Amino acid sequence: QAKRHGRNRAMPYREEFDASVAHRLQLLNQLRDALERREFVLAFQPLFAPDGRPVALEALVRWQHPTRGLLLPGEFIGICEESGLIVELGRRILREAARHYALLVEAGLGELRIAVNVSAAQFTDELFTDIESTLQEFTLPHGVLEIELTESVIMESPTRAIELMQRLAALGVSFSVDDFGTGYSSLAYLKRFPIDRLKIDRSFVQDLGVDDDDAAICQSIIGLAHSLDIRTVAEGIETEQQLAWLQARGCDELQGYLLGRPQPFETVLALLRRSHGSAAG
Ligand code: C2E
Ligand code: MG
Ligand code: MG
Ligand code: MG
């Protein structure tokens, strides 16, 4: 009796497992097709200085799916990373992001940085070659291209990471540590890397003004970063209260839905042109 139960219980589990494997394979095939059909598009989210001046645009990939609409990275980035597809996708994203630099210059916004997220699987010598040729092809000056890496990408192989980052820094690439505070690394350790900015993870920003611990964490990150001559960026700002708190504590750059959502390039550009114009006038 017990044995049969066991067997009966095993069946649906296996079917579920097979279904999920089949689903993933199907998704992977669809992703390969999507790359062919150029269904990946970039949204751009602005970053601002405390005085409201725009300082950067972060490129965020979306999948314009033929039937399911616009899909967010959470639905497909993981499988792209596991399958290695992220290398080719990442190369396209880099070039596509860089292509917009000329349009920024045209709009009088050539001083903005363009930030691109890079996954662990992309963080290889191949990336150096891709970035080198992309900078050349689109004539990006030093300081325009910014790479966002998470702590785990850097700490996975610190010696290799530091070497690759130094070579890229020599090309004028700057580095931000994304989702800072969620990984396992100390600021003192990170100081050995050519890191320009720490992006304080959204989870700490969320409860500013509500949760004293999160306020203490944000305050500590800003203080310690500044003492090591590293700038700070707050991501995920959604309320005026969070914004005011961060401005008052000297956070260097600000990003979040309150200030600007990720949107098509033209839409962000129109927004920035308006705010820029009024600030200048
Ligand atoms: P991330 O780099 O930390 O990007 C920030 C995420 O938070 C984005 O989600 C953004 O839309 C969202 N966000 C921004 N402001 C707010 C806010 O005020 N409130 C809330 N709730 N969310 C906010 P998205 O676009 O879904 O991207 C998720 C993650 O996918 C990114 O996290 C990044 O790790 C990865 N990703 C996105 N684009 C790329 C890419 O081109 N290449 C690679 N390798 N990874 C990417
Ligand atoms: Mg990012
Ligand atoms: Mg982040
Ligand atoms: Mg994130």
Side-chain angles (χ1 to χ4, degrees):
Q1 188 77 16
K3 208 172 173 184
R4 191 163 53 192
H5 254 116
R7 204 181 293 143
N8 284 345
R9 285 165 58 117
M11 277 304 288
Y13 169 75
R14 193 149 60 194
E15 273 167 19
E16 240 173 66
F17 176 74
D18 288 346
S20 102
V21 168
H23 174 76
R24 292 176 71 78
L25 272 174
Q26 191 186 17
L27 181 59
L28 188 55
N29 281 329
Q30 287 177 0
L31 284 163
R32 291 209 175 93
D33 291 345
L35 210 53
E36 286 283 306
R37 297 201 213 106
R38 305 185 174 276
E39 288 170 359
F40 294 102
V41 295
L42 292 183
F44 291 89
Q45 187 178 28
L47 282 72
F48 296 90
D51 66 3
R53 209 169 25 92
V55 289
L57 294 180
E58 178 177 0
L60 294 159
V61 68
R62 273 89 183 93
W63 179 7
Q64 186 62 67
H65 193 280
T67 55
R68 294 171 61 202
L70 201 63
L71 303 182
L72 295 175
E75 299 226 34
F76 59 89
I77 278 285
I79 195 165
C80 286
E81 287 171 343
E82 288 162 31
S83 64
L85 204 64
I86 191 70
V87 174
E88 181 54 27
L89 176 58
R91 184 177 291 134
R92 303 266 191 100
I93 290 168
L94 178 69
R95 292 190 74 252
E96 177 64 8
R99 182 177 72 76
H100 287 85
Y101 174 66
L103 301 171
L104 284 177
V105 172
E106 221 171 85
L109 294 165
E111 78 282 8
L112 295 198
R113 305 190 307 269
I114 297 174
V116 175
N117 292 280
V118 166
S119 303
Q122 299 172 256
F123 201 58
T124 64
D125 283 344
E126 234 178 308
L127 180 71
F128 180 84
T129 315
D130 289 342
I131 288 182
E132 193 177 37
S133 60
T134 303
L135 292 176
Q136 237 164 39
E137 181 175 356
F138 298 98
T139 53
L140 265 61
H142 275 222
V144 169
L145 182 65
E146 170 180 356
I147 296 296
E148 295 194 7
L149 300 168
T150 60
E151 287 165 88
S152 58
V153 174
I154 296 173
M155 302 311 278
E156 197 175 273
S157 172
T159 317
R160 207 176 51 80
I162 205 167
E163 194 251 352
L164 184 52
M165 288 170 79
Q166 278 166 351
R167 288 167 64 209
L168 287 166
L171 296 181
V173 175
S174 71
F175 291 96
S176 289
V177 181
D178 210 345
D179 308 336
F180 187 78
T182 60
Y184 304 91
S185 56
S186 71
L187 271 177
Y189 194 80
L190 287 179
K191 179 58 186 160
R192 292 176 39 210
F193 296 81
I195 288 163
D196 302 272
R197 282 166 290 269
L198 299 180
K199 297 190 77 169
I200 304 170
D201 190 65
R202 186 168 81 220
S203 60
F204 304 122
V205 172
Q206 205 164 296
D207 288 335
L208 281 180
V210 181
D211 183 321
D212 290 344
D213 291 342
D214 285 336
I217 290 169
C218 287
Q219 179 101 63
S220 307
I221 294 175
I222 294 169
L224 210 46
H226 284 175
S227 71
L228 294 169
D229 200 27
I230 295 173
R231 307 276 82 78
T232 51
V233 182
E235 59 178 24
I237 300 170
E238 294 185 356
T239 69
E240 294 286 354
Q241 190 183 20
Q242 293 160 358
L243 178 63
W245 193 100
L246 290 155
Q247 279 172 322
R249 273 131 191 116
C251 187
D252 303 281
E253 298 184 2
L254 309 151
Q255 184 181 25
Y257 290 168
L258 178 72
L259 305 167
R261 287 180 175 260
Q263 282 175 315
F265 183 77
E266 290 70 25
T267 313
V268 185
L269 202 61
L271 174 96
L272 295 186
R273 272 213 197 93
R274 272 201 305 279
S275 61
H276 216 54
S278 64

